[in-house]
Amino acid sequence: QRAKVSQLEALIAKLRMEIKELQAIVPSKEREEKRTTMEWRLNTRISMQKTAIADLQAKLAALTEDHRHKTQSLKALLDYKEKMEENLELYKSKSSLYLKELREAEDEKERYLELLKDIRAQQKDHSQYIQDMEYAARARDQALQGFQELAENWRISQAADM
């Protein structure tokens, strides 16, 4: 677009030079008529070129504005992408922390399950011990009762013998 503008300005300068040369060559009345005709033609061409330049400038302004909007949109998207990448890194670090805590909790759960097994085994041993002691106590009570009956029977037999 700038090149076209430069070309148009160069063309205008060239045409002006041609007009001056023609004015120097043509006699004055003819020169005046030709000059008027040439000016009219030049003015027409200049007007057409100015219109073309104005159209090109309007297109350039529209393209520049469109480019500005696209640049702003791209910048906003890049900022959003950067923010999302930061969030992703944050989530990754939190996720790894949560996974570590989960593994530790699972390890602790395993330790508690082992302790529970040990406690149940000890409880079973204690229950067996208690059962054995209860059985021994019953056996002792039965033996004691048997000895008491035997002693009672012996006393009765001693008292009967006397």
Side-chain angles (χ1 to χ4, degrees):
Q1 291 173 353
R2 290 180 184 162
K4 283 187 178 184
V5 170
S6 297
Q7 287 175 350
L8 291 175
E9 288 174 349
L11 180 63
I12 291 169
K14 182 179 176 184
L15 290 174
R16 284 184 180 157
M17 293 289 280
E18 288 178 9
I19 290 172
K20 287 181 182 178
E21 289 173 2
L22 288 174
Q23 286 174 346
I25 297 173
V26 178
S28 66
K29 190 171 189 182
E30 284 180 16
R31 183 187 291 169
E32 188 61 32
E33 288 176 6
K34 285 185 179 183
R35 186 180 66 77
T36 305
T37 305
M38 285 298 280
E39 281 181 0
W40 181 82
R41 284 182 186 164
L42 283 174
N43 285 337
T44 303
R45 285 179 83 182
I46 289 171
S47 176
M48 289 172 50
Q49 293 299 328
K50 283 182 180 179
T51 303
I53 289 170
D55 288 344
L56 289 174
Q57 286 175 335
K59 286 180 184 178
L60 177 63
L63 289 172
T64 302
E65 185 64 21
D66 184 53
H67 182 265
R68 188 181 66 78
H69 285 299
K70 286 180 180 177
T71 302
Q72 286 176 342
S73 296
L74 182 60
K75 185 181 182 313
L77 285 173
L78 289 173
D79 290 345
Y80 180 74
K81 177 188 172 226
E82 186 176 308
K83 184 178 178 186
M84 289 297 107
E85 286 173 346
E86 289 171 3
N87 287 342
L88 178 63
E89 289 303 316
L90 181 65
Y91 292 143
K92 281 181 181 178
S93 66
K94 283 183 179 179
S95 175
S96 64
L97 179 65
Y98 291 148
L99 286 174
K100 181 181 175 189
E101 288 176 1
L102 179 63
R103 280 189 221 106
E104 289 173 357
E106 287 176 354
D107 292 344
E108 191 170 345
K109 176 185 159 189
E110 290 298 320
R111 286 192 303 272
Y112 284 137
L113 287 175
E114 287 298 319
L115 284 173
L116 184 60
K117 273 173 136 180
D118 292 344
I119 289 171
R120 284 186 179 158
Q122 288 176 0
Q123 185 181 19
K124 186 176 179 183
D125 291 345
H126 288 305
S127 295
Q128 185 64 41
Y129 178 74
I130 290 170
Q131 286 177 352
D132 291 346
M133 294 308 289
E134 287 173 348
Y135 178 76
R138 281 195 301 274
R140 184 201 62 196
D141 289 345
Q142 288 175 355
L144 186 58
Q145 187 179 3
F147 284 126
Q148 285 175 345
E149 288 175 11
L150 188 60
E152 189 63 33
N153 289 339
W154 182 75
R155 267 188 267 161
I156 292 174
S157 74
Q158 286 293 326
D161 283 343
M162 286 208 200

